[in-house]
Amino acid sequence: MARNTDLADLAESIFSDSWDPGATGLDTTAWRACAESGLTTLTAPDTGGTLDDAAVLLETAGAWAARVPLAETDLLAGWLARSAGLPVPDGPLAAVRGSLGPAGDTTGDTTGDTVAGVLPRVPWGRALAGVVVLDGDRVLVLDAAALTVTEGTNLAEEPRDTLDATGVVPLATGPAPDGAADELALRAALGRSLLLAGAARGALARAVGYAGERRQFGRPIARFQAVQHMLAEAGTEVAAAAAASAAAAHTARTAGFAAAGTTLAVAAAKARCGEAATAVARITHQVHGAIGFTREHDLRLLTTRLWAWRDEDGNESYWNDRVGTAALAAGPDGLWPLVTG
Amino acid sequence: MAGTPSAPATATRSAGPARTTRLPALVPEPVELPAHLAELRAEVRAFLDAERAAGAWTPRADVWLSGWDAGFSRRLGERGWLGMTIPTRYGGHGRSALERYVVTEELLAAGAPVAAHWIADRQIGPSLLRHGTEEQRQAFLPGIARGEVFFGIGMSEPDSGSDLASVRTRAERVDGGWELSGTKVWTSGAHLAHAFFALVRTAPVDEGNRHAGLSQLLVELDRPGVEIRPIPLLTGAHHFNEVRFDRVFIPDERVFGEIGDGWAQVTGELAFERSGPERFLSTYPLLAALVGELTAGTGTDAGTRRRIGSLVSRLWTLRSMSLAVAGALESGEAPELAAALVKDLGTRFENEIVDAARLLVDVPPDPGAPDGFARLLADAVLHAPGFTLRGGTNEVLRGIVARGMGLR
Ligand SMILES: Cc1cc2nc3c(=O)[nH]c(=O)nc-3n(C[C@H](O)[C@H](O)[C@H](O)COP(=O)(O)OP(=O)(O)OC[C@H]3O[C@@H](n4cnc5c(N)ncnc54)[C@H](O)[C@@H]3O)c2cc1C
């Protein structure tokens, strides 16, 4: 499973071309470039893309703090709509769990029925073409243009908007596949892990570059062993995040999301990437001194994402509790088989 | 970030994106163990279960240092689980590094006594294949694969630890060989091993190139003039030794590799030994016992579950990393940077288990207990300082990582 270097290069060139530290909101240039290259539907059937490819793409997006909902659109919304037998709208999408009140049943013709309900903190809400909602045993596709938006953000100023769907007629409704809620949570955590691993790498790369240029006491600060050791520690954390998230993607690809091994892999990856995020943000800020603590410096684009993303889609406590519960259920003799799969 | 770095605002605004996310690869890509290895794993587990049930040994922490049991090593040899990657013409089994990985991690996780064959199987076998003469291979490899020939490592000296290039043990040219004088220390298992590789000076120090003039000699430890003196560990156990050479004759056939190439040979070996499963599993038997203590009790609170979960998440991640390095080594790469990272992270993790065990179960460590949690905890606490020293200290590893990231 050689890493897809063409894809990595393509993603790198798209995201670096549209790098604009001052901008917020959806990056329409990058989105269009991704869509034209098929990256917004990378894992859809018939495209030939795999979760390993998605891993490469999302990690690179994270490293560039790319302002495009690729994980939400491809890994979550596209998958959820398709697996409910529903058409996937064109454009940026999000998938969320929600409760939308009455609107027909899961199988019958629901044309014309309206729903009622509020969806809090929807990623990229204001910029979406559609929202796919998992509501108990049914899946609804909503036209985002029909929803009322109350804007909000996460720590990184990424849109996390509240969408009011009251009175809206869904574009389509279908039955949720078995285990949809679990799989949606795992997919979200996996996507977030990959983004975290990328953002950690991006922050570290900036700190390494800065340490080589910033001079104090007559030499670059990279010459001081204390600084080297801090950055080496950050390097081990970046490596751990990269390894965990890539291995989780690979496990999900080969074993499927329903496998117990995938749950452990994704849970461990999200928890580990969250722990790495904390360490890498701390160290890269320390290395940058006061300049990194300002809005003027682009380090913040990465570190605020590390802080925001570690708490989205389940923080370290949530996922470590899942892992710990599984470990304790396995018991002293079952623990090693659990780890080795 | 071009511009004038001493003027922060300038450095900021001119931040150029093109090269800012590029870093050398810190970890190779994920490796999936081929499906047929599940069978091998099951065989090893069944063997270990039977041995344990028969009381052949008791699970211990840090077994690759302290669990010396020549009989156990011989039984592994009979099973074909030593010298696995050595070609069959030298008595090995011609199997893959990943097959060896599976056997090794099963042995360590079980806390089985692997110390006797450890160095020979992990390091000396592969080194002999790479640098040894045909005669040396035939003389040593079959015994290594049978679990009958044991080795040590003779690198450190009283004044040479982290700064290994400063070794002073000298070999003088004499008729038909070399005459060796000097002192090695911290030599694990030298009192029980048959031989070791000694890193020695065969030419005077060249201040311009401190790595030149070093060579490796294969020293059989029963040669006249070799004196081995025990240095007890914190536990009082005898693993460490001081090994003195008083004009020991080493014939030319026991020169290992090329005279003058010692430094390159030694650093090549270190890359192999740094990222194996022994770098994060030394205290795994304690983690398993900790889970046993907690499940035997009256339920666990969220904090305890999360602490255990965090340890297992870390373990899972470390294993993914270590396997990735093993996969890269198998395909002929030498991921030195990644190996150093894994060892730094892994050996600190081995210590984290000790702290978690202490704090989650309120039982004093008991070095006198025959087995069980309190005994494993006692061994682990007293062995823990060694984890982040042996094979190159974590501080020195961080220097390697820093260099790999372009900081020096
Ligand atoms: C359990 C165990 C088994 C061992 N087995 C063997 C064996 O079989 N054969 C063998 O040859 N050796 C063996 N060793 C020795 C081991 O390789 C050395 O202990 C290790 O290389 C450190 O050397 P030192 O003990 O002399 O410490 P020193 O080099 O004196 O270091 C002391 C401290 O200073 C720090 N330090 C030194 N230089 C630097 C630097 N440049 N930058 C930052 N920090 C620095 C170190 O990190 C350490 O914290 C073993 C050690 C242990 C603990």
mmCIF file with all atom_site columns, all heavy atoms in Angstrom, chain A residues 100 114-119 142 146-148 163-169:
data_model
loop_
_atom_site.group_PDB
_atom_site.id
_atom_site.type_symbol
_atom_site.label_atom_id
_atom_site.label_alt_id
_atom_site.label_comp_id
_atom_site.label_asym_id
_atom_site.label_entity_id
_atom_site.label_seq_id
_atom_site.pdbx_PDB_ins_code
_atom_site.Cartn_x
_atom_site.Cartn_y
_atom_site.Cartn_z
_atom_site.occupancy
_atom_site.B_iso_or_equiv
_atom_site.pdbx_formal_charge
_atom_site.auth_seq_id
_atom_site.auth_comp_id
_atom_site.auth_asym_id
_atom_site.auth_atom_id
_atom_site.pdbx_PDB_model_num
ATOM 1   N N   . LEU A 1 100 ? -35.272 15.818 14.167 1.00 0.00 ? 100 LEU A N   1
ATOM 2   C CA  . LEU A 1 100 ? -35.965 16.778 13.310 1.00 0.00 ? 100 LEU A CA  1
ATOM 3   C C   . LEU A 1 100 ? -37.488 16.662 13.338 1.00 0.00 ? 100 LEU A C   1
ATOM 4   O O   . LEU A 1 100 ? -38.173 17.122 12.440 1.00 0.00 ? 100 LEU A O   1
ATOM 5   C CB  . LEU A 1 100 ? -35.472 16.636 11.872 1.00 0.00 ? 100 LEU A CB  1
ATOM 6   C CG  . LEU A 1 100 ? -34.059 17.176 11.644 1.00 0.00 ? 100 LEU A CG  1
ATOM 7   C CD1 . LEU A 1 100 ? -33.661 17.016 10.200 1.00 0.00 ? 100 LEU A CD1 1
ATOM 8   C CD2 . LEU A 1 100 ? -33.959 18.630 12.062 1.00 0.00 ? 100 LEU A CD2 1
ATOM 9   N N   . THR A 1 114 ? -42.955 18.571 6.003  1.00 0.00 ? 114 THR A N   1
ATOM 10  C CA  . THR A 1 114 ? -41.909 19.429 6.556  1.00 0.00 ? 114 THR A CA  1
ATOM 11  C C   . THR A 1 114 ? -41.349 18.820 7.833  1.00 0.00 ? 114 THR A C   1
ATOM 12  O O   . THR A 1 114 ? -41.982 17.964 8.454  1.00 0.00 ? 114 THR A O   1
ATOM 13  C CB  . THR A 1 114 ? -42.452 20.826 6.888  1.00 0.00 ? 114 THR A CB  1
ATOM 14  O OG1 . THR A 1 114 ? -43.473 20.680 7.871  1.00 0.00 ? 114 THR A OG1 1
ATOM 15  C CG2 . THR A 1 114 ? -42.978 21.513 5.644  1.00 0.00 ? 114 THR A CG2 1
ATOM 16  N N   . VAL A 1 115 ? -40.153 19.280 8.208  1.00 0.00 ? 115 VAL A N   1
ATOM 17  C CA  . VAL A 1 115 ? -39.564 18.865 9.476  1.00 0.00 ? 115 VAL A CA  1
ATOM 18  C C   . VAL A 1 115 ? -39.445 20.079 10.374 1.00 0.00 ? 115 VAL A C   1
ATOM 19  O O   . VAL A 1 115 ? -39.641 21.220 9.926  1.00 0.00 ? 115 VAL A O   1
ATOM 20  C CB  . VAL A 1 115 ? -38.165 18.235 9.277  1.00 0.00 ? 115 VAL A CB  1
ATOM 21  C CG1 . VAL A 1 115 ? -38.269 16.947 8.489  1.00 0.00 ? 115 VAL A CG1 1
ATOM 22  C CG2 . VAL A 1 115 ? -37.221 19.210 8.621  1.00 0.00 ? 115 VAL A CG2 1
ATOM 23  N N   . ALA A 1 116 ? -39.102 19.815 11.647 1.00 0.00 ? 116 ALA A N   1
ATOM 24  C CA  . ALA A 1 116 ? -38.897 20.919 12.581 1.00 0.00 ? 116 ALA A CA  1
ATOM 25  C C   . ALA A 1 116 ? -37.773 20.549 13.504 1.00 0.00 ? 116 ALA A C   1
ATOM 26  O O   . ALA A 1 116 ? -37.729 19.431 14.019 1.00 0.00 ? 116 ALA A O   1
ATOM 27  C CB  . ALA A 1 116 ? -40.161 21.185 13.382 1.00 0.00 ? 116 ALA A CB  1
ATOM 28  N N   . GLY A 1 117 ? -36.815 21.439 13.695 1.00 0.00 ? 117 GLY A N   1
ATOM 29  C CA  . GLY A 1 117 ? -35.731 21.142 14.624 1.00 0.00 ? 117 GLY A CA  1
ATOM 30  C C   . GLY A 1 117 ? -34.536 22.022 14.368 1.00 0.00 ? 117 GLY A C   1
ATOM 31  O O   . GLY A 1 117 ? -34.438 22.697 13.346 1.00 0.00 ? 117 GLY A O   1
ATOM 32  N N   . VAL A 1 118 ? -33.636 22.005 15.329 1.00 0.00 ? 118 VAL A N   1
ATOM 33  C CA  . VAL A 1 118 ? -32.445 22.861 15.280 1.00 0.00 ? 118 VAL A CA  1
ATOM 34  C C   . VAL A 1 118 ? -31.214 21.984 15.331 1.00 0.00 ? 118 VAL A C   1
ATOM 35  O O   . VAL A 1 118 ? -31.142 21.035 16.114 1.00 0.00 ? 118 VAL A O   1
ATOM 36  C CB  . VAL A 1 118 ? -32.454 23.852 16.469 1.00 0.00 ? 118 VAL A CB  1
ATOM 37  C CG1 . VAL A 1 118 ? -31.156 24.638 16.523 1.00 0.00 ? 118 VAL A CG1 1
ATOM 38  C CG2 . VAL A 1 118 ? -33.642 24.802 16.362 1.00 0.00 ? 118 VAL A CG2 1
ATOM 39  N N   . LEU A 1 119 ? -30.244 22.279 14.491 1.00 0.00 ? 119 LEU A N   1
ATOM 40  C CA  . LEU A 1 119 ? -28.984 21.516 14.451 1.00 0.00 ? 119 LEU A CA  1
ATOM 41  C C   . LEU A 1 119 ? -27.860 22.422 14.941 1.00 0.00 ? 119 LEU A C   1
ATOM 42  O O   . LEU A 1 119 ? -27.484 23.369 14.250 1.00 0.00 ? 119 LEU A O   1
ATOM 43  C CB  . LEU A 1 119 ? -28.700 21.063 13.015 1.00 0.00 ? 119 LEU A CB  1
ATOM 44  C CG  . LEU A 1 119 ? -29.823 20.274 12.330 1.00 0.00 ? 119 LEU A CG  1
ATOM 45  C CD1 . LEU A 1 119 ? -29.540 20.121 10.835 1.00 0.00 ? 119 LEU A CD1 1
ATOM 46  C CD2 . LEU A 1 119 ? -29.989 18.908 12.993 1.00 0.00 ? 119 LEU A CD2 1
ATOM 47  N N   . LEU A 1 142 ? -31.008 17.653 3.511  1.00 0.00 ? 142 LEU A N   1
ATOM 48  C CA  . LEU A 1 142 ? -31.642 18.976 3.528  1.00 0.00 ? 142 LEU A CA  1
ATOM 49  C C   . LEU A 1 142 ? -30.895 19.920 2.594  1.00 0.00 ? 142 LEU A C   1
ATOM 50  O O   . LEU A 1 142 ? -29.661 19.864 2.492  1.00 0.00 ? 142 LEU A O   1
ATOM 51  C CB  . LEU A 1 142 ? -31.622 19.559 4.946  1.00 0.00 ? 142 LEU A CB  1
ATOM 52  C CG  . LEU A 1 142 ? -32.203 18.709 6.072  1.00 0.00 ? 142 LEU A CG  1
ATOM 53  C CD1 . LEU A 1 142 ? -32.069 19.447 7.401  1.00 0.00 ? 142 LEU A CD1 1
ATOM 54  C CD2 . LEU A 1 142 ? -33.658 18.356 5.791  1.00 0.00 ? 142 LEU A CD2 1
ATOM 55  N N   . ALA A 1 146 ? -32.296 26.342 2.394  1.00 0.00 ? 146 ALA A N   1
ATOM 56  C CA  . ALA A 1 146 ? -33.600 26.498 3.027  1.00 0.00 ? 146 ALA A CA  1
ATOM 57  C C   . ALA A 1 146 ? -33.497 26.698 4.544  1.00 0.00 ? 146 ALA A C   1
ATOM 58  O O   . ALA A 1 146 ? -34.491 26.975 5.209  1.00 0.00 ? 146 ALA A O   1
ATOM 59  C CB  . ALA A 1 146 ? -34.448 25.265 2.732  1.00 0.00 ? 146 ALA A CB  1
ATOM 60  N N   . LEU A 1 147 ? -32.285 26.574 5.102  1.00 0.00 ? 147 LEU A N   1
ATOM 61  C CA  . LEU A 1 147 ? -32.133 26.609 6.554  1.00 0.00 ? 147 LEU A CA  1
ATOM 62  C C   . LEU A 1 147 ? -31.788 28.017 7.031  1.00 0.00 ? 147 LEU A C   1
ATOM 63  O O   . LEU A 1 147 ? -31.168 28.800 6.315  1.00 0.00 ? 147 LEU A O   1
ATOM 64  C CB  . LEU A 1 147 ? -31.017 25.641 6.975  1.00 0.00 ? 147 LEU A CB  1
ATOM 65  C CG  . LEU A 1 147 ? -31.151 24.211 6.439  1.00 0.00 ? 147 LEU A CG  1
ATOM 66  C CD1 . LEU A 1 147 ? -29.915 23.392 6.797  1.00 0.00 ? 147 LEU A CD1 1
ATOM 67  C CD2 . LEU A 1 147 ? -32.405 23.559 6.992  1.00 0.00 ? 147 LEU A CD2 1
ATOM 68  N N   . THR A 1 148 ? -32.209 28.301 8.263  1.00 0.00 ? 148 THR A N   1
ATOM 69  C CA  . THR A 1 148 ? -31.864 29.597 8.849  1.00 0.00 ? 148 THR A CA  1
ATOM 70  C C   . THR A 1 148 ? -30.559 29.451 9.646  1.00 0.00 ? 148 THR A C   1
ATOM 71  O O   . THR A 1 148 ? -30.450 28.563 10.486 1.00 0.00 ? 148 THR A O   1
ATOM 72  C CB  . THR A 1 148 ? -32.981 30.067 9.795  1.00 0.00 ? 148 THR A CB  1
ATOM 73  O OG1 . THR A 1 148 ? -34.216 29.951 9.098  1.00 0.00 ? 148 THR A OG1 1
ATOM 74  C CG2 . THR A 1 148 ? -32.751 31.495 10.243 1.00 0.00 ? 148 THR A CG2 1
ATOM 75  N N   . LEU A 1 163 ? -28.131 25.671 12.712 1.00 0.00 ? 163 LEU A N   1
ATOM 76  C CA  . LEU A 1 163 ? -29.043 25.684 11.565 1.00 0.00 ? 163 LEU A CA  1
ATOM 77  C C   . LEU A 1 163 ? -30.449 25.324 12.032 1.00 0.00 ? 163 LEU A C   1
ATOM 78  O O   . LEU A 1 163 ? -30.647 24.303 12.688 1.00 0.00 ? 163 LEU A O   1
ATOM 79  C CB  . LEU A 1 163 ? -28.570 24.673 10.510 1.00 0.00 ? 163 LEU A CB  1
ATOM 80  C CG  . LEU A 1 163 ? -27.135 24.836 10.001 1.00 0.00 ? 163 LEU A CG  1
ATOM 81  C CD1 . LEU A 1 163 ? -26.816 23.771 8.950  1.00 0.00 ? 163 LEU A CD1 1
ATOM 82  C CD2 . LEU A 1 163 ? -26.924 26.226 9.417  1.00 0.00 ? 163 LEU A CD2 1
ATOM 83  N N   . ASP A 1 164 ? -31.395 26.171 11.680 1.00 0.00 ? 164 ASP A N   1
ATOM 84  C CA  . ASP A 1 164 ? -32.792 25.910 12.046 1.00 0.00 ? 164 ASP A CA  1
ATOM 85  C C   . ASP A 1 164 ? -33.531 25.355 10.818 1.00 0.00 ? 164 ASP A C   1
ATOM 86  O O   . ASP A 1 164 ? -33.598 26.011 9.789  1.00 0.00 ? 164 ASP A O   1
ATOM 87  C CB  . ASP A 1 164 ? -33.458 27.201 12.540 1.00 0.00 ? 164 ASP A CB  1
ATOM 88  C CG  . ASP A 1 164 ? -34.806 26.915 13.174 1.00 0.00 ? 164 ASP A CG  1
ATOM 89  O OD1 . ASP A 1 164 ? -35.433 25.877 12.806 1.00 0.00 ? 164 ASP A OD1 1
ATOM 90  O OD2 . ASP A 1 164 ? -35.243 27.714 14.024 1.00 0.00 ? 164 ASP A OD2 1
ATOM 91  N N   . ALA A 1 165 ? -34.031 24.140 10.970 1.00 0.00 ? 165 ALA A N   1
ATOM 92  C CA  . ALA A 1 165 ? -34.673 23.458 9.839  1.00 0.00 ? 165 ALA A CA  1
ATOM 93  C C   . ALA A 1 165 ? -36.191 23.497 9.933  1.00 0.00 ? 165 ALA A C   1
ATOM 94  O O   . ALA A 1 165 ? -36.887 22.811 9.179  1.00 0.00 ? 165 ALA A O   1
ATOM 95  C CB  . ALA A 1 165 ? -34.190 22.014 9.773  1.00 0.00 ? 165 ALA A CB  1
ATOM 96  N N   . THR A 1 166 ? -36.704 24.285 10.845 1.00 0.00 ? 166 THR A N   1
ATOM 97  C CA  . THR A 1 166 ? -38.156 24.282 11.054 1.00 0.00 ? 166 THR A CA  1
ATOM 98  C C   . THR A 1 166 ? -38.895 24.735 9.794  1.00 0.00 ? 166 THR A C   1
ATOM 99  O O   . THR A 1 166 ? -38.560 25.748 9.191  1.00 0.00 ? 166 THR A O   1
ATOM 100 C CB  . THR A 1 166 ? -38.500 25.222 12.239 1.00 0.00 ? 166 THR A CB  1
ATOM 101 O OG1 . THR A 1 166 ? -37.764 24.780 13.372 1.00 0.00 ? 166 THR A OG1 1
ATOM 102 C CG2 . THR A 1 166 ? -39.991 25.171 12.543 1.00 0.00 ? 166 THR A CG2 1
ATOM 103 N N   . GLY A 1 167 ? -39.862 23.911 9.390  1.00 0.00 ? 167 GLY A N   1
ATOM 104 C CA  . GLY A 1 167 ? -40.660 24.239 8.221  1.00 0.00 ? 167 GLY A CA  1
ATOM 105 C C   . GLY A 1 167 ? -40.031 23.841 6.900  1.00 0.00 ? 167 GLY A C   1
ATOM 106 O O   . GLY A 1 167 ? -40.560 24.142 5.835  1.00 0.00 ? 167 GLY A O   1
ATOM 107 N N   . VAL A 1 168 ? -38.907 23.166 6.961  1.00 0.00 ? 168 VAL A N   1
ATOM 108 C CA  . VAL A 1 168 ? -38.193 22.814 5.732  1.00 0.00 ? 168 VAL A CA  1
ATOM 109 C C   . VAL A 1 168 ? -38.659 21.453 5.201  1.00 0.00 ? 168 VAL A C   1
ATOM 110 O O   . VAL A 1 168 ? -38.887 20.523 5.973  1.00 0.00 ? 168 VAL A O   1
ATOM 111 C CB  . VAL A 1 168 ? -36.671 22.794 6.010  1.00 0.00 ? 168 VAL A CB  1
ATOM 112 C CG1 . VAL A 1 168 ? -35.900 22.144 4.866  1.00 0.00 ? 168 VAL A CG1 1
ATOM 113 C CG2 . VAL A 1 168 ? -36.186 24.209 6.274  1.00 0.00 ? 168 VAL A CG2 1
ATOM 114 N N   . VAL A 1 169 ? -38.762 21.330 3.905  1.00 0.00 ? 169 VAL A N   1
ATOM 115 C CA  . VAL A 1 169 ? -39.084 20.043 3.273  1.00 0.00 ? 169 VAL A CA  1
ATOM 116 C C   . VAL A 1 169 ? -37.770 19.390 2.850  1.00 0.00 ? 169 VAL A C   1
ATOM 117 O O   . VAL A 1 169 ? -37.017 19.971 2.068  1.00 0.00 ? 169 VAL A O   1
ATOM 118 C CB  . VAL A 1 169 ? -39.978 20.245 2.025  1.00 0.00 ? 169 VAL A CB  1
ATOM 119 C CG1 . VAL A 1 169 ? -40.291 18.883 1.382  1.00 0.00 ? 169 VAL A CG1 1
ATOM 120 C CG2 . VAL A 1 169 ? -41.242 20.993 2.403  1.00 0.00 ? 169 VAL A CG2 1
#
